[in-house]
Amino acid sequence: MKDSKDTLEALRAEIERRNPAQPEFHQAVREVLETLAPVFAARPEYADPAVALVERLTEPERQIVFRVPWQDDRGRVHVNRGFRVEFNSALGPYKGGLRFHPSVDIGVVKFLGFEQIFKNALTGLGIGGGKGGSDFDPRGRSDAEVMRFCQSFMTELHRHIGEHTDVPAGDIGVGGREIGYLFGQYRRITNRWEAGVLTGKGAGWGGSAIRPQATGYGSVLFAAEMLKVRGESLDGLSAVVSGSGNVALYTIEKLQQLGANPLTCSDSHGYVVDDKGIDLALLKQVKEVERGRVSEYAQRRGTSARYVQGGRVWDVPADVAFPSATQNELDGQDARTLIASGVKAVSEGANMPTTPQAVRLLQQAGVAFGPGKAANAGGVAVSALEMSQNAARIAWSAERVEEELARIMGAIHAVAYETAERYGAPGDYVTGANIAGFERVADAMLAQGVI
Ligand code: GLU
């Protein structure tokens, strides 16, 4: 055990040296390697230096960086940077979203792509890991500007993707509107009606029912599974939810369907706490229709809601917490606040929203903690179901997709739970999810030779 720990530590140091100035990627790799020592001890074939498995797993198969020039409504030309990191295709075509946000750089895309490998493996649906995006900021841009940006982005990206090669989807800043523009340009350039090249498409042209809801719904279903093990349910519990994008909205929706009371939402400027519980119809109007700020929700909601500028949403006491905005949004201090207010479970709807220190504190305090690789895998799982429907040229009913989603989330919970038990870390879903995902990818890589 000591030996494999030392080996992993040396590998981690080497990965950080070779990939300077990529703190999010280092964090994601460290978090996985830290939990792999027991599996290396039990399965020495994974640790055999002669096959360099971890070195291969942490080096993307391909990294594409490109210029994205586009013209704004006044005729001015802007230049953004586009990325696609095709990380690992041992289990299937690269699969993962595109993020359009000013914070996007190669290190952020690599962290997201690395996480995606294990998340996608956990779904059991035959998808590899990839991620992409741009430092383009869609906020405040007109539809026409977003369209021109997406067309320019796809003009380069189209040569790297395909239904059997690499299948992008949405992430922060990329929703149904952007996927529509991207798909249109792909179709025009390639002269192919290749539905399976992108997921998150519109319902009438190859999109799957429940895809917009899937990440948020799945994160709540994962929390329900964690509570069930402890003999509890979401019914009657209060919830704190961060974010106000697609994941947060449908986290709130599923919580309400299961009898819980979500009290909050947030954006980069502040948060809203609504004593009566979030009015989802109003929040959807503000966010999905008007593309506005959560402060506008508070202004229109009346006396039950107040807006706290620049505050921490985790200060609102609740029974369960759903970080659903972005990476590192819940730190050690926030974890202490949540623990002091008696939180029972935390389920990560976003990717890596909880800092390593916060994860440790929550786990030490006995809080059920669902890591994003497991808890937010519902989105990409339904993307894989969208690919299946596209391949068969059929569309499943919403009921069927939702049933599948519930089954998949149950299976992910079960494999993470059982794997944690098997490796002597009962109740530790971080260890369970990392090892279960790793084993599937590692076995496929070993079987497929030195690639
Ligand atoms: N961006 C989502 C994620 O982080 C979904 C990716 C997809 O559907 O391919 O998993």
Side-chain angles (χ1 to χ4, degrees):
M1 185 76 116
K2 174 119 197 11
D3 283 357
S4 54
K5 264 210 166 108
D6 289 348
T7 311
L8 289 166
E9 182 50 33
L11 283 169
R12 184 191 62 75
E14 178 59 9
I15 290 160
E16 293 186 7
R17 192 192 62 76
R18 291 189 72 212
N19 300 280
Q22 297 179 359
E24 294 88 358
F25 179 56
H26 298 172
Q27 184 182 335
V29 169
R30 199 178 319 129
E31 188 259 332
V32 169
L33 294 188
E34 267 169 14
T35 55
L36 292 185
V39 77
F40 272 50
R43 309 267 306 264
E45 70 271 26
Y46 292 148
D48 182 353
V51 299
L53 186 70
V54 172
E55 289 89 330
R56 285 189 281 143
L57 194 55
T58 51
E59 182 70 19
E61 291 175 13
R62 192 173 298 105
Q63 303 182 55
I64 303 149
V65 185
F66 51 99
R67 181 173 70 200
V68 190
W70 58 280
Q71 234 173 350
D72 70 19
D73 288 343
R74 292 180 312 181
R76 215 188 121 203
V77 174
H78 299 256
V79 177
N80 284 101
R81 196 169 286 169
F83 303 93
R84 188 71 183 166
V85 170
E86 298 181 333
F87 222 122
N88 192 297
S89 60
L91 294 177
Y94 310 106
K95 181 83 197 87
L98 299 170
R99 175 176 292 191
F100 292 170
H101 191 271
S103 65
V104 168
D105 62 18
I106 191 71
V108 167
V109 178
K110 281 173 67 183
F111 122 62
L112 291 164
F114 187 69
E115 295 264 309
Q116 202 82 40
I117 302 170
F118 305 98
K119 184 197 306 195
N120 293 4
L122 280 172
T123 69
L125 295 173
I127 38 179
K131 204 87 186 191
S134 174
D135 57 1
F136 171 70
D137 188 356
R139 184 155 284 282
R141 292 290 170 195
S142 69
D143 281 356
E145 289 173 325
V146 170
M147 181 179 76
R148 285 195 293 275
F149 176 81
C150 288
Q151 289 176 340
S152 180
F153 186 87
M154 185 54 87
T155 300
E156 172 60 33
L157 187 69
H158 87 278
R159 58 186 106 245
H160 308 289
I161 62 175
E163 63 178 326
H164 301 298
T165 309
D166 183 357
V167 182
D171 196 84
I172 293 172
V174 178
R177 173 181 63 168
E178 291 74 18
I179 294 294
Y181 296 147
L182 291 164
F183 186 76
Q185 183 74 348
Y186 183 85
R187 183 169 62 75
R188 185 178 195 191
I189 294 178
T190 60
N191 194 29
R192 284 162 67 87
W193 212 100
E194 186 187 338
V197 70
L198 289 171
T199 60
K201 298 180 295 295
W205 45 278
S208 176
I210 306 294
R211 176 62 191 88
Q213 295 89 338
T215 311
Y217 279 17
S219 163
V220 176
L221 295 173
F222 195 87
E225 294 281 344
M226 292 195 295
L227 289 170
K228 195 159 93 191
V229 171
R230 298 169 170 224
E232 296 191 58
S233 86
L234 282 165
D235 193 17
L237 299 189
S238 58
V240 57
V241 178
S242 67
S244 50
N246 182 54
V247 179
L249 290 182
Y250 293 101
T251 294
I252 291 170
E253 184 163 287
K254 183 52 81 183
L255 282 166
Q256 290 176 342
Q257 286 172 8
L258 297 182
N261 190 19
L263 298 170
T264 63
C265 60
S266 69
D267 60 26
S268 54
H269 291 210
Y271 72 85
V272 164
V273 53
D274 191 329
D275 297 333
K276 284 199 194 146
I278 294 290
D279 175 343
L280 189 57
L282 176 60
L283 186 60
K284 281 185 178 172
Q285 172 66 26
V286 170
K287 291 300 302 184
E288 286 186 328
V289 182
E290 300 167 20
R291 295 180 187 273
R293 293 265 171 207
V294 297
S295 54
E296 293 159 38
Y297 169 94
Q299 275 158 21
R300 273 143 72 177
R301 172 69 164 147
T303 53
S304 71
R306 70 179 186 284
Y307 175 64
V308 181
Q309 187 155 9
R312 309 289 289 176
V313 70
W314 316 116
D315 291 345
V316 177
D319 299 313
V320 281
F322 294 84
S324 311
T326 194
Q327 64 265 20
N328 294 326
E329 55 163 314
L330 195 169
D331 65 16
Q333 190 47 47
D334 300 322
R336 286 191 195 94
T337 310
L338 286 171
I339 293 162
S341 63
V343 75
K344 297 168 192 283
V346 175
S347 187
E348 291 190 321
N351 290 314
M352 209 169 74
T354 316
T355 66
Q357 188 200 19
V359 174
R360 254 190 317 276
L361 289 169
L362 291 166
Q363 288 185 323
Q364 279 163 7
V367 176
F369 178 77
K373 287 186 204 79
N376 73 38
V380 77
V382 172
S383 275
L385 301 180
E386 183 169 326
M387 291 161 70
S388 303
Q389 293 169 73
N390 294 156
R393 296 184 181 278
I394 51 167
W396 297 348
S397 67
E399 292 71 31
R400 173 156 180 206
V401 178
E402 207 173 336
E403 237 172 73
E404 284 289 321
L405 172 63
R407 186 188 58 72
I408 292 164
M409 294 314 297
I412 293 173
H413 175 272
V415 75
Y417 185 83
E418 284 156 18
T419 306
E421 295 251 294
R422 187 151 48 89
Y423 283 99
D428 177 353
Y429 292 99
V430 176
T431 296
N434 284 346
I435 294 182
F438 171 81
E439 284 181 329
R440 287 180 185 173
V441 182
D443 289 344
M445 288 176 71
L446 290 179
Q448 293 172 25
V450 177
I451 301 294

